[in-house]
Amino acid sequence: GELFRGIDAAEDVYYVHSYYAEPNHLATAESQYIVPFAAAMQKDNFFSTQFHPEKSAATGERILKNFLEL
């Protein structure tokens, strides 16, 4: 989606939580650590990420920039 414009699928982001959302129809990004999980979701104009964009270096900065430009 637009939130990940300019981001390569191989780029890393910072995760810290032990909980997760299962992959579902709202997932705009998925990742895997032991099991697959929804890394980001969107419904209408609501966005969520499982990772911390603010702690994800240049990749996170790009995601936040993309969000501000929506």
Side-chain angles (χ1 to χ4, degrees):
E2 290 296 306
L3 196 59
F4 300 106
R5 185 179 64 252
I7 308 267
D8 185 86
E11 293 185 50
D12 293 324
V13 292
Y14 179 83
Y15 289 91
V16 71
H17 302 298
S18 59
Y19 57 88
Y20 64 93
E22 294 184 359
N24 60 73
H25 71 283
L26 299 175
T28 56
E30 293 184 11
S31 191
Q32 181 164 334
Y33 180 76
I34 302 173
V35 297
F37 60 92
M41 294 190 289
Q42 177 184 355
K43 179 169 175 38
D44 303 324
N45 65 336
F46 291 92
F47 295 84
S48 67
T49 60
Q50 173 65 20
F51 55 89
H52 290 272
E54 75 282 6
K55 294 183 178 184
S56 298
T59 301
E61 183 177 352
R62 178 64 190 204
I63 293 167
L64 291 172
K65 184 177 186 297
N66 287 346
F67 177 75
L68 293 173
E69 292 175 351
L70 291 174

